[in-house]
Coordinates of all heavy atoms in Angstrom, one line a residue:
T1 N 0.8 -1.2 0.0 CA 0.0 0.0 0.0 C 0.9 1.3 0.0 O 2.0 1.2 0.4 CB -0.9 0.0 1.2 OG1 -0.1 0.0 2.4 CG2 -1.9 -1.2 1.2
T2 N 0.3 2.4 -0.5 CA 1.0 3.6 -0.5 C 1.4 4.1 0.9 O 0.6 4.1 1.8 CB 0.2 4.7 -1.3 OG1 -0.1 4.3 -2.6 CG2 0.9 6.0 -1.3
Q3 N 2.6 4.6 1.0 CA 3.1 5.1 2.3 C 3.4 6.6 2.1 O 4.0 7.0 1.2 CB 4.3 4.4 2.8 CG 4.2 2.9 2.9 CD 3.1 2.5 3.9 OE1 3.0 3.0 5.0 NE2 2.3 1.5 3.6
K4 N 2.9 7.4 3.1 CA 3.1 8.9 3.0 C 3.5 9.4 4.4 O 2.7 10.1 5.1 CB 1.8 9.6 2.5 CG 1.5 9.3 1.0 CD 0.3 10.0 0.6 CE 0.5 11.5 0.5 NZ -0.7 12.2 0.0
P5 N 4.7 9.2 4.8 CA 5.2 9.8 6.1 C 5.2 11.3 6.0 O 5.3 11.9 4.9 CB 6.6 9.3 6.2 CG 7.0 8.9 4.9 CD 5.8 8.5 4.1
D6 N 5.1 12.0 7.1 CA 5.1 13.5 7.1 C 6.4 14.0 6.6 O 6.4 14.8 5.7 CB 4.9 14.0 8.5 CG 3.5 13.7 9.0 OD1 2.5 13.5 8.2 OD2 3.3 13.7 10.3
N7 N 7.5 13.6 7.1 CA 8.8 14.1 6.8 C 9.7 12.9 6.5 O 9.9 12.0 7.4 CB 9.4 14.9 7.9 CG 8.5 16.1 8.3 OD1 8.2 17.0 7.5 ND2 7.9 16.0 9.5
L8 N 10.3 12.9 5.3 CA 11.4 11.9 5.0 C 12.7 12.6 4.8 O 12.8 13.5 4.0 CB 11.0 11.1 3.7 CG 11.8 9.9 3.5 CD1 11.6 8.8 4.5 CD2 11.5 9.3 2.1
F9 N 13.6 12.3 5.7 CA 15.0 12.9 5.7 C 15.9 11.9 5.0 O 16.1 10.8 5.5 CB 15.4 13.1 7.2 CG 16.6 14.0 7.3 CD1 16.4 15.4 7.4 CD2 17.9 13.5 7.4 CE1 17.5 16.2 7.6 CE2 19.0 14.3 7.5 CZ 18.8 15.6 7.6
I10 N 16.5 12.3 3.9 CA 17.3 11.5 3.0 C 18.7 12.0 3.0 O 18.9 13.2 2.7 CB 16.7 11.4 1.6 CG1 15.2 11.0 1.6 CG2 17.5 10.5 0.7 CD1 14.5 11.2 0.3
I11 N 19.6 11.1 3.2 CA 21.1 11.5 3.1 C 21.7 10.6 2.0 O 21.7 9.4 2.2 CB 21.8 11.3 4.4 CG1 21.1 12.0 5.6 CG2 23.2 11.8 4.3 CD1 21.6 11.7 7.0
N12 N 22.2 11.2 1.0 CA 23.0 10.5 0.0 C 24.4 10.8 0.2 O 24.9 11.9 -0.1 CB 22.5 10.9 -1.4 CG 23.2 10.1 -2.5 OD1 24.4 10.2 -2.7 ND2 22.4 9.3 -3.2
K13 N 25.1 9.8 0.8 CA 26.5 9.9 1.0 C 27.3 9.5 -0.3 O 27.2 8.4 -0.8 CB 27.0 9.1 2.2 CG 26.3 9.5 3.5 CD 26.7 8.6 4.6 CE 26.0 8.9 5.9 NZ 26.3 10.3 6.4
H14 N 28.0 10.5 -0.9 CA 28.6 10.3 -2.2 C 29.5 9.1 -2.3 O 29.7 8.5 -3.3 CB 29.2 11.6 -2.7 CG 30.5 11.9 -2.0 ND1 30.6 12.5 -0.7 CD2 31.8 11.7 -2.4 CE1 31.8 12.7 -0.4 NE2 32.6 12.2 -1.3
S15 N 30.1 8.8 -1.1 CA 31.1 7.7 -1.1 C 30.4 6.3 -1.2 O 31.0 5.3 -1.5 CB 31.9 7.7 0.2 OG 31.1 7.7 1.3
S16 N 29.1 6.3 -1.0 CA 28.3 5.0 -1.0 C 27.3 5.0 -2.2 O 27.0 3.9 -2.7 CB 27.6 4.7 0.3 OG 26.5 5.6 0.5
G17 N 26.8 6.2 -2.5 CA 25.8 6.2 -3.6 C 24.5 5.7 -3.2 O 23.6 5.3 -4.0
I18 N 24.2 5.6 -1.9 CA 23.0 5.0 -1.4 C 22.2 6.2 -0.7 O 22.7 7.0 0.0 CB 23.2 3.9 -0.4 CG1 24.0 2.8 -1.0 CG2 21.9 3.4 0.3 CD1 24.5 1.7 0.0
N19 N 20.8 6.2 -0.9 CA 20.0 7.1 -0.2 C 19.6 6.5 1.1 O 18.7 5.6 1.2 CB 18.7 7.4 -1.0 CG 19.0 8.3 -2.2 OD1 19.9 9.1 -2.1 ND2 18.2 8.2 -3.2
W20 N 20.2 7.0 2.2 CA 19.8 6.5 3.6 C 18.6 7.4 4.0 O 18.7 8.6 4.1 CB 21.0 6.7 4.5 CG 22.3 6.1 3.9 CD1 23.2 6.7 3.2 CD2 22.7 4.7 4.1 NE1 24.2 5.8 2.9 CE2 23.9 4.6 3.4 CE3 22.2 3.6 4.7 CZ2 24.7 3.4 3.3 CZ3 22.9 2.4 4.6 CH2 24.1 2.3 4.0
Q21 N 17.5 6.7 4.4 CA 16.3 7.4 4.7 C 15.9 7.3 6.2 O 16.0 6.3 6.8 CB 15.2 6.9 3.8 CG 15.5 7.1 2.3 CD 14.3 6.5 1.5 OE1 13.6 5.7 1.9 NE2 14.3 7.0 0.2
Y22 N 15.3 8.4 6.7 CA 14.8 8.5 8.1 C 13.4 9.1 8.0 O 13.3 10.2 7.4 CB 15.8 9.3 9.0 CG 17.2 8.7 9.1 CD1 18.1 9.0 8.1 CD2 17.6 7.9 10.1 CE1 19.4 8.5 8.1 CE2 18.9 7.4 10.2 CZ 19.8 7.7 9.2 OH 21.0 7.2 9.2
V23 N 12.5 8.5 8.7 CA 11.1 9.1 8.8 C 11.0 9.9 10.1 O 11.4 9.4 11.2 CB 10.1 8.0 8.8 CG1 8.7 8.6 9.2 CG2 10.0 7.3 7.5
F24 N 10.5 11.1 10.0 CA 10.2 12.0 11.2 C 8.7 12.3 11.1 O 8.3 13.2 10.3 CB 11.0 13.2 11.3 CG 12.5 12.9 11.5 CD1 13.4 12.7 10.5 CD2 12.9 12.8 12.9 CE1 14.7 12.4 10.8 CE2 14.3 12.6 13.1 CZ 15.2 12.4 12.1
D25 N 7.8 11.7 11.8 CA 6.4 11.9 11.7 C 5.9 12.7 12.8 O 6.1 12.5 14.0 CB 5.7 10.5 11.7 CG 4.7 10.4 10.6 OD1 5.0 10.8 9.5 OD2 3.6 9.8 10.8
A26 N 5.2 13.8 12.5 CA 4.6 14.7 13.4 C 3.3 14.2 14.0 O 2.3 14.0 13.2 CB 4.4 16.1 12.8
K27 N 3.2 14.0 15.3 CA 2.0 13.6 16.0 C 1.7 14.5 17.2 O 2.5 14.5 18.1 CB 2.1 12.1 16.4 CG 2.4 11.2 15.3 CD 1.2 11.1 14.2 CE 1.5 10.1 13.2 NZ 0.5 10.1 12.1
Y28 N 0.6 15.2 17.2 CA 0.3 16.2 18.2 C -0.2 15.5 19.5 O -0.2 16.1 20.6 CB -0.6 17.2 17.7 CG -0.6 18.5 18.5 CD1 0.5 19.3 18.5 CD2 -1.7 18.8 19.4 CE1 0.5 20.5 19.3 CE2 -1.7 19.9 20.1 CZ -0.6 20.8 20.1 OH -0.5 21.9 20.9
K29 N -0.7 14.3 19.4 CA -1.3 13.7 20.6 C -0.2 13.1 21.5 O 0.8 12.6 21.0 CB -2.2 12.5 20.2 CG -3.5 13.0 19.5 CD -4.4 11.8 19.2 CE -5.6 12.3 18.4 NZ -6.5 11.1 18.1
I30 N -0.4 13.2 22.9 CA 0.5 12.6 23.8 C -0.3 11.7 24.8 O -1.5 11.9 25.0 CB 1.3 13.7 24.6 CG1 0.4 14.6 25.4 CG2 2.2 14.5 23.7 CD1 1.1 15.6 26.3
K31 N 0.4 10.8 25.4 CA -0.2 9.9 26.3 C 0.7 9.6 27.5 O 1.9 9.6 27.4 CB -0.5 8.6 25.6 CG -1.1 7.5 26.4 CD -1.4 6.2 25.6 CE -2.0 5.1 26.4 NZ -2.3 3.9 25.7
S32 N 0.1 9.4 28.7 CA 0.9 9.0 29.9 C 0.9 7.5 30.0 O -0.1 6.8 29.8 CB 0.2 9.6 31.1 OG 0.2 11.0 31.1
Y33 N 2.1 7.0 30.3 CA 2.3 5.6 30.4 C 2.8 5.3 31.8 O 3.5 6.1 32.5 CB 3.4 5.1 29.4 CG 3.0 5.2 28.0 CD1 3.2 6.4 27.3 CD2 2.4 4.1 27.3 CE1 2.8 6.5 25.9 CE2 2.0 4.2 26.0 CZ 2.2 5.4 25.3 OH 1.9 5.5 24.0
C34 N 2.5 4.1 32.3 CA 3.0 3.7 33.6 C 3.3 2.2 33.6 O 2.4 1.4 33.2 CB 2.0 4.0 34.7 SG 2.6 3.6 36.4
N35 N 4.5 1.8 33.8 CA 4.8 0.4 33.8 C 5.5 0.0 35.2 O 5.5 0.9 36.1 CB 5.7 0.0 32.7 CG 7.0 0.8 32.6 OD1 7.5 1.2 33.6 ND2 7.5 1.0 31.4
E36 N 6.0 -1.2 35.3 CA 6.5 -1.6 36.6 C 7.8 -0.8 37.0 O 8.2 -0.8 38.2 CB 6.8 -3.1 36.5 CG 7.8 -3.5 35.4 CD 8.0 -5.0 35.4 OE1 7.1 -5.7 35.9 OE2 9.0 -5.4 34.7

């Protein structure tokens, strides 16, 4: 299925010729968690 992340940060390092990709997705909701 089509993927549409908010922000895709791409680094093309010329020594490798590869597009290294990182997703940064903006989400305004927050939640409180409690574990052991």
